[in-house]
Amino acid sequence: MLRNSRSEFGSATIVLHWTIAALILGLTLIGFVMRRTDIDPALQFSLYQWHKSFGFTALGLATLRTAWWLVERSPAPPPGLGALEHIAARMAHGALIVLALAVPLAGWAVASASTLDIPSFYFNAVVIPHLPLAKSEASEAFWAFVHALLGYVTLGLVAIHAAAALYHHFIRRDAVLVRMLGFGTRSHHLRTPDAEENDDPIVERK
Ligand code: HEM
Ligand code: HEM
């Protein structure tokens, strides 16, 4: 199913979630490596171009993800989740949604404010125009700082988020990780209360 149900994530949410997660982790690694001064300049140039191309891809998918998140209802929280835990999870997910947009936008601002004025080739196919920002070393340094700061804050939050998912899976033994992996709670021994009580009767009859 493409759409979320009351107890399970649909394939659209799942595919977007894991694609964006892989892109963010890969981009953080490339970003960290390409900033090193001791690497070959030709390799550094192509890493920058790959970083920008995959970064724009992440921005496009994060925009889709945000629109989807705003129109789609998320499945009900797992059983036994306290009110505070629920609020913390909602806040963390909201922050991840915002950061997945803010980090690449700040990266785009770095490329746009740079006095080097290097075009951003999207996978060597099209040139993505710069944002209308004044070009100066101070502005480039500012956006580079914002981009790096938000990038590493995202990495920290993702680490906490992933640790929470593992905690749910191995300690709480609920369906939180399983349902985001797309295995479905109905066919699994771990169930959410919603899968039993509130599910769409039409789906239930199949
Ligand atoms: C979700 C997407 C992105 C992530 C997670 C990400 C992450 C990072 C990280 C971790 C660094 C290294 C920061 C440092 O250690 O100083 C970096 C640098 C950089 N990123 Fe990104 N980035 C993303 C998207 C983009 C996009 C879309 C662009 C441009 C179109 C971009 C342009 C740059 C540039 C130019 C630098 C080097 C900044 C400098 O010279 O200090 N990034 N990125
Ligand atoms: C790589 C490690 C990651 C793991 C193991 C992981 C795991 C999970 C799991 C199990 C859920 C389901 C939570 C629930 O049922 O309420 C979830 C939801 C979510 N994750 Fe991740 N995630 C990872 C990375 C990321 C990244 C990088 C982002 C950043 C954009 C992200 C954003 C979200 C959001 C926004 C939700 C809420 C989905 C919704 O309610 O519609 N995750 N994640």
Side-chain angles (χ1 to χ4, degrees), residues 68-189:
W68 190 242
W69 195 67
L70 291 173
V71 297
E72 268 299 270
R73 223 187 79 154
S74 296
L81 201 75
L84 269 180
E85 285 174 302
H86 182 47
I87 293 170
R90 288 290 294 172
M91 281 173 64
H93 294 163
L96 285 170
I97 294 268
V98 171
L99 285 166
L101 289 171
V103 173
L105 279 175
W108 194 359
V110 182
S112 308
S114 171
T115 48
L116 296 176
D117 202 14
I118 298 172
S120 301
F121 294 102
Y122 188 71
F123 293 108
N124 272 335
V126 273
V127 176
I128 301 207
H130 290 319
L131 293 169
L133 293 173
K135 292 186 198 314
S136 74
E137 278 178 18
S139 164
E140 181 184 358
F142 170 77
W143 286 111
F145 172 74
V146 172
H147 183 54
L149 180 72
L150 293 181
Y152 293 122
V153 165
T154 307
L155 187 64
L157 193 57
V158 168
I160 297 171
H161 173 72
L166 294 177
Y167 164 76
H168 274 280
H169 191 71
F170 291 109
I171 313 250
R172 294 273 276 263
R173 293 179 171 272
D174 58 26
V176 164
L177 180 59
V178 172
R179 70 181 186 175
M180 188 46 102
L181 288 169
F183 296 146
T185 50
R186 207 165 289 128
S187 57
H188 199 273
H189 67 284

Side-chain angles (χ1 to χ4, degrees), residues 20 23-35 48 51-59 99-101 103-112 120 128 140-141 143-145 147-149 151-152 154:
I20 293 169
L23 281 170
I24 288 183
L25 293 177
L27 281 159
T28 308
L29 184 69
I30 301 181
F32 180 76
V33 172
M34 75 189 193
R35 288 281 298 128
Y48 265 77
H51 184 84
K52 292 199 276 182
S53 296
F54 282 110
F56 280 122
T57 308
L59 178 59
L99 285 166
L101 289 171
V103 173
L105 279 175
W108 194 359
V110 182
S112 308
S120 301
I128 301 207
E140 181 184 358
W143 286 111
F145 172 74
H147 183 54
L149 180 72
Y152 293 122
T154 307

